Amino acid sequence: MNGANATTTGESPEAQVSLHELTRRFGDFTAVDRVTLDVARGEIFGFLGPNGAGKSTTIRMLCGILPPSSGSGTVAGYDIATQSEQIKNQIGYMSQKFSLYEELTVEENIDFYSGIYRIPAGKKAERKEWVIEMAGLAEQRGTRAQALSGGWKQRLALGCAVLHEPPIVFLDEPTSGVDPISRRSFWELIYRLSGEGVTIFVTTHYMEEAECCDRLGFIFGGELIALGTPAELKAGFPGQIVEIGCERPFELLQRVESLPGVKSSALFGAGLHLAVENAEQTIAAIGRELPDLDLRMERITPSLEDLFVSFMQAQGRAASS
Amino acid sequence: MKAKRVSAVARKEFLHVLRDWRSLGIGIAIPLVMLFLFGYALTLDVDRVPLVVWDQSQTPASRTFIGGFSASRYFQLVGEAGGYGEIERAIEARRAVIALVVPVDFARGVASGRGSSVQAIIDGSDSNVASYALGYAEGVTRSYSNQVTLDSMRRGGLPQPAAGLDLEPRVWFNSDMESRNYIFPGLIAVVMMVIAALLTSLTVAREWEVGTMEQLIATPVTRGELILGKLIPYFCIGMLDLLLAILVGEFVFDIPMRGQLWLIFASCSVFLAGALSLGMLISIVTKSQFLSSQIALVATMLPAFLLSGFVFPIANMPYPIQLFTHVITARYFVTLLRGIYLKGLGLRLLVGEALFLLAFAALVLTLAHHKLRKKIE
Ligand SMILES: Nc1ncnc2c1ncn2[C@@H]1O[C@H](COP(=O)(O)OP(=O)(O)OP(=O)(O)O)[C@@H](O)[C@H]1O
Ligand SMILES: [Mg+2]
């Protein structure tokens, strides 16, 4: 499932982020299990996975704030286990939880990080204006962060994370809980940074955001189970997808799951998606078995979501057998 | 250590304090309330102090002298005693707080101008009442003595020495009697200790709880810069508290300030560095605001109140506890502040205490630096 430009050795010279068998255990529990991947300079790398998959744990190790249990990794050429302080000069990090100072105003938050990153006096004002302009916060300069809405907060947090023009940015679910329009404008910022050559490592739960990434890694139960560009991943989808439009999809779900040839099934919008071996055969079989129902069935090209649902169900079955 | 980062952290922390009424309350309001509350509680006016008299002289002169006491609103004559045994019983039964023993040769001494010594026996178990009673007794004695001097001059005799009479105090049950003046500098020390540790006990823990710490440890800021930057605002608050306390002492409680001001501020800054770092250390270790403030209170309030010698004289404590007070920093600061404040002592006589405070601050600061991790554990 590896894409053409995804090296697995973790030693590519162009790689800004490079992991090799990276592992983190909490007691007996393995949160991140031998993850190996590379992210090239200027790339937008999307890291996907369900809750508790190990996304944040991986990002924390990459930012040098959580020591790995085993394996290795480099960020901007520095070792995450031994050179974490050097890494901190090279990165911007936006943690999953909003973590600016709520009692401070927009400008005061920017000034604080400006001091922390020791932005030279001559550049300070220019960078501050850049952030305010980029985040569209001109009107809210003097507003306390706690009074900003979710979308503004996230943009301010991104602004503070890239204030010092780091070559690599780690964003942990930067758009969770943000409305679709704000999310789109946030992604415009990400593209803008990427266009300037910044490497971006971003986690998300939103499939339309995943589609925007240059490359994706899918993590489940701590293990990296898929890696590649969105197109590669979709092309590599084993089988076909049947979309069923119906009145009561939940009832139907239970009746079609047991049909032969159905590998996985999931509620999808107002209907169902089935991952099957052969779409024509399944459509015919359902028409035979459930003639009383008026179903609209058609074969569609798999989306990323279909892909990940079938990954998760396959892993779930493997784990329970 | 980069000045820019330290100042960024300090400025941010200042803004926090200014915008968070809790910090302001702990930093400014509580110290003032404590100073006034304790200041007044410990300096409460005392009147109608119960008095017994053993008049061995039984002369018109001695009766006039005693009459001065009964006429004063500060004393209430509750009985005559015929010996030390009776005095002891009266004081033990708390019928009397003060007893006067007028000697046999009282009248002769006064008349001849040789003077006389009247013994005042005081129940020192409530040191505050005792110090007042003693002060009033001295006042009454002085005015009697002045009267005698005046009378003899008026009669045309040679001017007599002014100090015809003196009061010889004997304090029972609490020989190290602390006066109101004694308590106030100690009070400053105790308030500073409690406030300082409480203030900083919140800072690092709050950042962990709110989540800003995770962001901060992913930046190049060093542990030293973070600690120093966070200490600066609270240090300023502590200094402001000291200034307020000195003003309150001067203008509200009339405490004489005999020492050099710079020395007080210098020793206070060393003490503050230690107390603030202690709160910071607790905050770093617990990572929880609630736990941290509780521990800071117990670790500072109780020892500072009970074991610093601020109200309860260390010499009266059981020996093992006396030994234990040697590790209580507040004890050294209380001694230091009293020495400078009341006696105007110079650093030379207090160098031991000052060195201890310095060593304590260095130790706790080092520990805090060591315990602060730029990692999520
Ligand atoms: N400090 C810790 N101690 C113990 N377990 C932890 C710790 N941090 C994370 N875990 C566990 O590791 C697993 C992975 O957590 P992680 O936060 O990396 O997941 P995630 O993929 O970011 O999930 P989400 O989408 O919910 O943010 C979880 O089961 C979590 O409970
Ligand atoms: Mg997470």
Side-chain angles (χ1 to χ4, degrees):
Chain A
M1 183 81 38
N2 290 319
N5 57 352
T7 55
T8 50
T9 55
E11 299 299 327
S12 157
E14 254 298 283
Q16 284 287 75
V17 177
S18 181
L19 314 183
H20 186 71
E21 304 259 299
L22 190 68
T23 301
R24 173 69 206 205
R25 283 181 287 273
F26 294 109
D28 295 339
F29 174 73
T30 305
V32 174
D33 196 0
R34 288 165 293 156
V35 169
T36 297
L37 61 85
D38 276 352
V39 180
R41 187 185 306 278
E43 197 168 47
I44 301 177
F45 183 84
F47 206 40
L48 300 133
N51 293 128
K55 303 181 296 294
S56 298
T57 306
T58 306
I59 283 203
R60 285 169 168 170
M61 287 192 278
L62 295 177
C63 292
I65 58 176
L66 184 71
S69 305
S70 66
S72 63
T74 61
V75 170
Y78 294 109
D79 189 295
I80 59 172
T82 58
Q83 297 175 300
S84 56
E85 290 310 302
Q86 283 95 318
I87 289 175
K88 289 169 188 176
N89 267 313
Q90 303 293 323
I91 60 162
Y93 171 48
M94 219 180 122
S95 62
Q96 185 168 352
K97 199 171 163 189
F98 176 72
S99 51
L100 293 180
Y101 296 96
E102 301 259 2
E103 306 84 353
L104 266 53
T105 66
V106 167
E107 284 195 287
E108 286 161 353
N109 269 297
I110 297 173
D111 289 341
F112 173 67
Y113 280 100
S114 180
I116 291 294
Y117 285 112
R118 299 207 298 137
I119 294 177
K123 254 189 118 180
K124 207 182 134 182
E126 177 204 321
R127 287 305 294 166
K128 182 168 163 179
E129 290 316 308
W130 182 87
V131 166
I132 287 179
E133 180 269 323
M134 176 200 84
L137 284 164
E139 316 258 281
Q140 282 100 326
R141 285 166 175 277
T143 308
R144 293 202 190 169
Q146 65 201 6
L148 295 176
S149 70
W152 300 110
K153 276 187 184 173
Q154 298 303 86
R155 287 205 290 265
L156 175 61
L158 178 67
C160 289
V162 299
L163 193 61
H164 56 300
E165 301 177 86
I168 308 170
V169 180
F170 293 97
L171 309 172
D172 196 356
E173 293 190 31
T175 56
S176 65
V178 169
D179 69 68
I181 294 170
S182 301
R183 241 157 55 203
R184 187 161 309 154
S185 75
F186 191 92
W187 271 83
E188 277 161 19
L189 302 181
I190 293 182
Y191 277 127
R192 196 163 140 184
L193 290 169
S194 165
E196 292 166 12
V198 177
T199 307
I200 290 161
F201 192 112
V202 55
T203 74
T204 180
H205 285 298
Y206 298 109
M207 288 305 143
E208 69 268 28
E209 292 185 1
E211 295 276 5
C212 299
C213 297
D214 295 327
R215 242 157 29 90
L216 299 172
F218 189 73
I219 187 170
F220 185 82
E223 288 178 61
L224 188 69
I225 57 174
L227 188 66
T229 65
E232 284 165 354
L233 290 174
K234 281 185 274 192
F237 184 79
Q240 302 171 340
I241 293 288
V242 174
E243 186 176 59
I244 308 177
C246 60
E247 294 295 315
R248 284 188 288 275
F250 190 72
E251 281 170 25
L252 187 65
L253 184 66
Q254 285 150 345
R255 297 172 71 176
V256 298
E257 258 174 348
S258 53
L259 289 175
V262 176
K263 293 191 287 188
S264 69
S265 53
L267 296 172
F268 220 100
L272 288 183
H273 278 196
L274 305 183
V276 297
E277 269 147 28
N278 183 303
E280 275 77 48
Q281 281 174 14
T282 304
I283 291 173
I286 293 174
R288 268 197 314 280
E289 296 279 324
L290 308 165
D292 50 320
L293 297 174
D294 175 28
L295 302 173
R296 297 172 302 282
M297 294 184 277
E298 64 171 319
R299 178 183 169 184
I300 56 163
T301 51
S303 68
L304 279 176
E305 190 153 355
D306 293 319
L307 190 69
F308 292 131
V309 166
S310 71
F311 276 151
M312 279 164 62
Q313 293 195 342
Q315 293 283 327
R317 274 197 298 277
S320 60
S321 66
Chain B
M1 188 77 71
K2 303 290 187 218
K4 200 173 241 166
R5 290 204 200 109
V6 176
S7 87
V9 176
R11 187 160 331 138
K12 181 218 85 179
E13 208 69 28
F14 255 122
L15 290 171
H16 271 304
V17 174
L18 289 180
R19 290 182 190 164
D20 178 12
W21 58 268
R22 283 183 312 169
S23 311
L24 268 187
I26 296 175
I28 309 282
I30 294 183
L32 280 178
V33 168
M34 276 171 90
L35 281 175
F36 275 99
L37 216 59
F38 285 97
Y40 274 121
L42 296 172
T43 62
L44 214 58
D45 249 338
V46 181
D47 58 4
R48 301 177 68 76
V49 178
L51 165 80
V52 295
V53 177
W54 178 15
D55 186 359
Q56 298 172 345
S57 165
Q58 297 289 356
T59 52
S62 72
R63 275 189 283 275
T64 314
F65 173 68
I66 292 163
F69 281 83
S70 0
S72 154
R73 74 179 176 90
Y74 298 115
F75 293 100
Q76 186 185 16
L77 191 62
V78 295
E80 301 255 345
Y84 283 109
E86 276 177 46
I87 288 173
E88 194 171 337
R89 277 190 295 282
I91 288 180
E92 268 175 4
R94 305 204 152 262
R95 269 188 291 117
V97 164
I98 185 166
L100 294 176
V101 182
V102 183
V104 185
D105 59 356
F106 179 83
R108 244 177 299 139
V110 170
S112 68
R114 254 190 301 111
S116 176
S117 271
V118 174
Q119 196 176 43
I121 295 167
I122 301 163
D123 175 2
S125 57
D126 183 337
S127 56
N128 207 43
V129 173
S131 75
Y132 265 83
L134 181 60
Y136 299 145
E138 275 167 349
V140 174
T141 310
R142 207 175 307 120
S143 79
Y144 174 79
S145 189
N146 291 346
Q147 196 59 48
V148 171
T149 314
L150 225 63
D151 284 351
S152 69
M153 279 165 71
R154 217 178 282 139
R155 270 187 261 112
L158 288 171
Q160 310 254 348
L165 201 63
D166 76 293
L167 196 69
E168 204 180 82
R170 290 271 179 284
V171 180
W172 285 2
F173 306 120
N174 177 2
S175 52
D176 265 7
M177 192 182 63
E178 315 276 68
S179 74
R180 151 189 69 154
N181 290 358
Y182 236 57
I183 283 173
F184 196 76
L187 181 60
I188 295 180
V190 168
V191 170
M192 299 284 275
M193 175 84 206
V194 175
I195 294 314
L198 204 54
L199 274 175
T200 44
S201 73
L202 298 175
T203 67
V204 177
R206 179 177 53 209
E207 297 227 27
W208 278 115
E209 280 180 10
V210 176
T212 48
M213 199 62 178
E214 177 162 348
Q215 197 72 49
L216 213 45
I217 59 177
T219 73
V221 72
T222 67
R223 296 178 289 163
E225 288 159 353
L226 208 53
I227 292 178
L228 187 63
K230 277 178 168 292
L231 285 179
I232 289 171
Y234 300 106
F235 185 83
C236 296
I237 293 179
M239 283 300 169
L240 178 66
D241 284 339
L242 176 64
L243 186 68
L244 288 176
I246 291 175
L247 292 177
V248 167
E250 180 77 34
F251 295 108
V252 181
F253 295 118
D254 270 338
I255 312 287
M257 230 287 280
R258 303 213 175 87
Q260 287 162 293
L261 212 53
W262 75 267
L263 203 54
I264 290 189
F265 275 90
S267 57
C268 188
S269 45
V270 176
F271 173 75
L272 259 184
L276 291 170
S277 308
L278 179 65
M280 183 83 78
L281 174 65
I282 297 171
S283 193
I284 286 168
V285 173
T286 63
K287 293 188 181 177
S288 140
Q289 292 189 78
F290 176 75
L291 199 60
S292 180
S293 57
Q294 298 299 303
I295 294 178
L297 267 182
V298 172
T300 58
M301 177 98 97
L302 294 180
F305 266 92
L306 302 177
L307 302 176
S308 67
F310 138 72
V311 240
F312 308 106
I314 292 172
N316 294 359
M317 295 174 187
Y319 187 66
I321 294 187
Q322 284 192 29
L323 282 184
F324 184 64
T325 63
H326 286 284
V327 297
I328 308 293
T329 44
R331 170 197 168 142
Y332 298 91
F333 192 45
V334 167
T335 312
L336 205 57
L337 215 49
R338 270 184 193 156
I340 302 171
Y341 211 111
L342 300 175
K343 301 182 194 151
L345 297 185
L347 199 52
R348 199 138 17 104
L349 290 169
L350 297 165
V351 74
E353 279 81 9
L355 281 180
F356 181 91
L357 290 182
L358 205 58
F360 177 79
L363 175 76
V364 180
L365 204 53
T366 311
L367 262 177
H369 186 262
H370 175 75
K371 286 282 175 194
L372 180 61
R373 289 283 144 79
K374 282 186 72 186
K375 301 276 183 210
I376 296 170
E377 292 309 335

